[in-house]
């Protein structure tokens, strides 16, 4: 049984699942501690709770540093997905939910036929980038945002053959309940 739900209020019974996982999802929850507690609550004893989170050092860090000046910063006390990029922080968050996690850093890279394809894919289909472009557009900065986005892609692109390869390491955190 695979279900989609609000990470902070899973509409499932206590201990109702063998596996509770989040692939680049719980890291965006407004109340991240509540979301982790919900994952632990939904998992049966002996079951598995697992998440993935973007690790430090990926291309998106380059992107964020290039575009940060274009949109208002989130409030200082707002949780950010980047905090999940630190393995020690991930372990602390699992522990706060009553779970002991092992965390492994894994390699990944986005591959596109061109930087233009990467840009169009991100701004049309990847939540944080879509939201960024919507905000930049509302502020009248869409052209500048696309220009900075292209520059970040060019700086991060590890391909030299006209294609686009963007490093995107991630963390895999797993706990047995």
């Amino acid at each position: 049984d695979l279900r989609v739900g609000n990470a902070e209020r899973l509409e499932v019974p206590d201990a109702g699942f063998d596996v509770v996982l989040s692939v680049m999802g719980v890291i965006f929850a407004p109340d991240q501690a509540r979301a982790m507690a919900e994952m632990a609550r939904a998992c049966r004893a002996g079951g598995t709770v697992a998440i993935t989170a973007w690790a430090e050092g990926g291309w998106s860090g380059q992107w964020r540093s290039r575009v940060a000046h274009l949109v208002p910063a989130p409030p200082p006390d707002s949780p950010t997905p980047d905090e999940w990029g630190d393995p020690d922080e991930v372990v602390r968050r699992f522990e706060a939910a009553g779970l002991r996690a092992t965390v492994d850093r894994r390699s990944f890279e986005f591959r596109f036929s061109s930087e233009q394809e990467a840009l169009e894919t991100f701004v049309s289909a990847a939540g944080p980038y879509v939201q960024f472009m919507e905000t930049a557009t509302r502020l009248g900065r869409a052209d500048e945002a696309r220009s900075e986005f292209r520059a970040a892609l060019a700086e991060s692109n590890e391909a030299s053959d006209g294609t686009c390869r963007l490093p995107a390491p991630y963390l895999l955190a797993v706990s047995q309940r």
Side-chain angles (χ1 to χ4, degrees):
D1 187 12
L2 178 64
R3 299 184 188 182
V4 177
N6 180 330
E8 297 172 18
R9 289 182 309 281
L10 297 175
E11 295 180 14
V12 300
D14 292 353
F17 289 84
D18 296 326
V19 177
V20 180
L21 65 97
S22 171
V23 177
M24 308 303 177
V26 74
I27 65 175
F28 294 103
D31 185 342
Q32 295 169 355
R34 173 80 178 143
M36 279 303 306
E38 277 293 277
M39 291 181 73
R41 179 193 65 77
C43 189
R44 70 164 175 80
T48 301
V49 175
I51 70 156
T52 59
W54 296 118
E56 297 168 339
W59 97 272
S60 61
Q62 178 67 28
W63 169 75
R64 275 189 299 286
S65 69
R66 287 211 57 108
V67 302
H69 68 282
L70 296 174
V71 297
D77 59 342
S78 297
T80 67
D82 294 340
E83 294 166 349
W84 290 92
D86 174 1
D88 293 332
E89 182 62 23
V90 173
V91 166
R92 280 191 290 278
R93 289 173 184 216
F94 269 70
E95 286 175 350
L99 303 167
R100 286 193 337 202
T102 59
V103 181
D104 293 316
R105 183 181 173 96
R106 305 278 176 99
S107 295
F108 178 77
E109 70 179 12
F110 289 101
R111 293 181 183 197
F112 300 96
S113 63
S114 67
E115 290 174 5
Q116 183 62 33
E117 180 189 32
L119 173 69
E120 295 307 325
T121 299
F122 285 123
V123 301
S124 67
Y129 305 101
V130 171
Q131 183 179 20
F132 163 76
M133 285 304 299
E134 288 172 353
T135 301
T137 299
R138 275 195 315 276
L139 296 172
R141 303 187 90 175
D143 291 341
E144 189 178 359
R146 280 187 172 269
S147 176
E148 291 288 358
F149 208 126
R150 280 188 189 93
L153 287 167
E155 290 169 3
S156 300
N157 187 358
E158 294 183 342
S160 58
D161 60 359
T163 65
C164 185
R165 290 190 350 254
L166 304 170
Y170 68 96
L171 302 178
L172 171 63
V174 179
S175 177
Q176 298 307 153
R177 181 100 170 102

